[in-house]
Amino acid sequence: MVAELEGLDLDISEYEYDEFVIEYQRLGGKFPIIDASSKTTNITKCLKKEGINTVIRYYCRASQGSWKIIREPEATKLIAEKLSIAVVHEIGTSLSLFSYASGKLDADYSIKYGREAIGQPSGSAIYFAIDFDVSESSIKQRIVPYFQGIRDSMAAAGSIYKIGVYGSGLTCSTLLKKGLVEFTWLAQSTGWSGYGAFKDSNLWSLLQKYPSTNLCRIGVDYNEAQGGKDFGAFSSLVALVKPTAAAADEEWEILLAAGALQGLDPDMEARTLLLIQECAKQGVKMVASGGVRTPQVQAKLWKQSRSATQIKAAVSSLRAQGAPFLADVLEQTSAPKGQHVTNALPGMSWHQWGEAVDCYWEVNGKPEWDPDAVHGGVKGYHVYADLAETKQIGLNAGGHWSSFKDWPHVQFRKAAGPKSLYTVKEIDKRMKDLYGERLDVGPDLFEPHEGGYAQADETGFVEAFRNVITDLREASGTAVSNKPYLFPDGIYKVELTLGIGGGASSEEGANNPSLAIPGSAKIMISGINKE
């Protein structure tokens, strides 16, 4: 038996090796199921020779995870070699990535990708990864709503795919008891909550083995299926569903919206994307015009309608309250005279915290700024505000405020501004931590529009991003044959980075947005998918 294992590249202790051998013997000398983040297109024959019968591969809605997703040529090659496929969607390990809204988005993407890019047959499963240890309270507050969103999207699509979860024993058992998943895949991390109890229960569909190893030149994990039972894999592909022109256009709009919203707290980003999509279903096209706003831009917007005396008094007040960073920002930022668009001083708007978004209503290709305007029998801004405050989306709409109504504005918290929750000194520290010592960081992306609301101007970064994507779309032919949102054939990755990027990689830091690239903004387009 040891001789049979010599070909495996195992980085494990003597004790773990003994445990590994016992498991290997119990399964008759085979670990037939592997999961891998690397593509297997060129090693399918090797995998088959090594006794593998199922390969688990990835889907991922986020562009930064596009490098590891399975594409149609790889799926075709695996099936041709008589290897089955199982799939798991993994978005990341920050708790702020998980909410009802993100569950719907991840499921919508996975359904679309399975049907349009892979040919995944109905009746098979899509697992959704919770690849970190989650406390009982966080499972209740974050993970359960996430899977409720997944369930609702799957139901709306006719329950074409079954739902699975990858995670800790506690995560798997909780979701199984609530009837939110049909399959459970117990992660190999034995120290995570509920591992032993769930393993001993034999309620798992898949059991991931420890340790990870190398096989056929790629890193893999071995897995065991419960008693040879079905776990949602598929051994054949169906014809790809060709999207309609309208659906393809919608994909481009999703890409544009996602680009404009990058840098927000991930939960805020997901809720806003869902809001924009729900508005579109009611014939209201909302366009994200501003998300993250630097303290410098906020200072400019505030100063443009204030007198020199008012500005001087505000600077003095900030210094007196222990906010020297924000005082310097306000004092040193230049601003031409303009309309009154905000009451919030720099740092005092949720835009600086990555927790607020402005959207405008687009009608016949042009912004409509009148909040009471009616087109097609609907008041677009009223639809937008009402949907924002539904239970499923859970945002606070500026159009419903009792004073200084701000119809384009939605925000994550109900509190009017950071000053409602923090002292000015605390806000100053937060802004200094996020935006650094320099006062000249961050381009002026947002200018006051004639309608009185801040939006990206024609030279702004968000507008530049939209122009780049539009040019790429035109250069690639039709949106039907080139779907960058799905990444099957065409643009490999398009990424916009601006200001604050949300979340930490642990549960404890998940609700603390961190600066992605201090004081910078960039558009990155990398490669073309050659597969």
Side-chain angles (χ1 to χ4, degrees), residues 99-112:
S99 64
Y100 179 87
S102 62
K104 282 187 67 69
L105 293 172
D106 289 350
D108 286 346
Y109 165 83
S110 296
I111 294 167
K112 187 184 293 289

Side-chain angles (χ1 to χ4, degrees), residues 66-67 69-75 113 117-118 487-488 492 529 531:
S66 63
W67 64 272
I69 67 177
I70 186 171
R71 292 177 170 79
E72 189 272 336
E74 181 184 356
Y113 193 79
I118 297 299
F487 304 103
Y492 176 68
N529 175 25
E531 277 196 340

Side-chain angles (χ1 to χ4, degrees), residues 13-345:
S13 67
E14 181 178 349
Y15 174 78
E16 291 166 341
Y17 182 81
D18 292 341
E19 292 294 309
F20 189 82
V21 170
I22 292 171
E23 290 290 304
Y24 188 84
Q25 291 172 329
R26 184 172 67 81
L27 291 172
K30 288 186 177 180
F31 288 103
I33 306 168
I34 60 168
D35 63 87
S37 59
S38 301
K39 70 177 182 178
T40 63
T41 311
N42 298 324
I43 60 169
T44 54
K45 290 185 182 298
C46 177
L47 294 175
K48 190 71 175 180
K49 183 179 179 180
E50 293 290 339
I52 304 303
N53 62 32
T54 304
V55 177
I56 305 172
R57 292 285 282 115
Y58 287 86
Y59 291 172
C60 183
R61 174 170 62 90
S63 63
Q64 58 265 33
S66 63
W67 64 272
K68 66 180 179 180
I69 67 177
I70 186 171
R71 292 177 170 79
E72 189 272 336
E74 181 184 356
T76 300
K77 188 77 179 292
L78 287 167
I79 296 301
E81 202 62 49
K82 300 190 182 307
L83 291 163
S84 295
I85 302 169
V87 294
V88 57
H89 179 280
E90 183 172 22
I91 194 72
T93 58
S94 169
L95 197 61
S96 60
L97 289 165
F98 299 94
S99 64
Y100 179 87
S102 62
K104 282 187 67 69
L105 293 172
D106 289 350
D108 286 346
Y109 165 83
S110 296
I111 294 167
K112 187 184 293 289
Y113 193 79
R115 297 178 67 201
E116 298 179 12
I118 297 299
Q120 181 178 347
S122 60
S124 57
I126 300 175
Y127 288 80
F128 293 84
I130 311 299
D131 195 10
F132 56 105
D133 197 15
V134 193
S135 67
E136 186 173 358
S137 61
S138 292
I139 290 174
K140 179 180 179 180
Q141 295 168 7
R142 289 283 190 169
I143 307 306
V144 168
Y146 176 74
F147 276 86
Q148 288 171 336
I150 292 170
R151 174 202 59 194
D152 289 352
S153 281
M154 286 292 185
S159 300
I160 182 174
Y161 300 124
K162 296 176 181 178
I163 302 171
V165 59
Y166 169 93
S168 70
L170 182 59
T171 296
C172 290
S173 61
T174 301
L175 296 173
L176 194 61
K177 288 176 183 177
K178 291 184 175 295
L180 290 171
V181 298
E182 187 166 342
F183 298 114
T184 56
W185 180 7
L186 181 59
Q188 64 178 227
S189 300
T190 59
W192 287 2
S193 304
Y195 178 88
F198 193 68
K199 180 182 178 183
D200 293 343
S201 74
N202 288 326
L203 292 174
W204 44 268
S205 308
L206 282 171
L207 178 65
Q208 190 177 51
K209 299 297 183 179
Y210 184 86
S212 301
T213 186
N214 290 325
L215 182 68
C216 299
R217 304 185 306 278
I218 67 169
V220 304
D221 295 305
Y222 288 108
N223 298 270
E224 176 187 355
Q226 177 66 256
K229 295 180 181 178
D230 172 43
F231 56 91
F234 51 97
S235 57
S236 63
L237 301 176
V238 297
L240 299 182
V241 176
K242 186 175 181 179
T244 63
D249 284 341
E250 182 181 345
E251 289 172 11
W252 280 96
E253 291 300 328
I254 291 170
L255 178 66
L256 292 172
L261 299 174
Q262 279 198 20
L264 291 172
D265 172 81
D267 197 352
M268 180 67 198
E269 178 184 356
R271 290 171 192 250
T272 306
L273 275 173
L274 184 59
L275 171 59
I276 290 171
Q277 291 183 32
E278 292 302 309
C279 286
K281 291 178 183 178
Q282 297 198 25
V284 176
K285 181 178 179 180
M286 300 301 298
V287 177
S289 60
V292 175
R293 186 187 297 162
T294 67
Q296 289 78 12
V297 173
Q298 188 67 34
K300 181 177 181 179
L301 294 173
W302 185 88
K303 288 179 72 172
Q304 68 185 20
S305 62
R306 267 74 180 189
S307 66
T309 301
Q310 290 173 313
I311 295 169
K312 184 177 180 180
V315 170
S316 298
S317 177
L318 286 171
R319 294 196 191 284
Q321 295 178 77
F325 174 75
L326 292 175
D328 287 345
V329 168
L330 185 61
E331 187 172 48
Q332 297 178 27
T333 300
S334 61
K337 291 300 180 182
Q339 295 183 350
H340 180 78
V341 296
T342 182
N343 289 329
L345 286 164

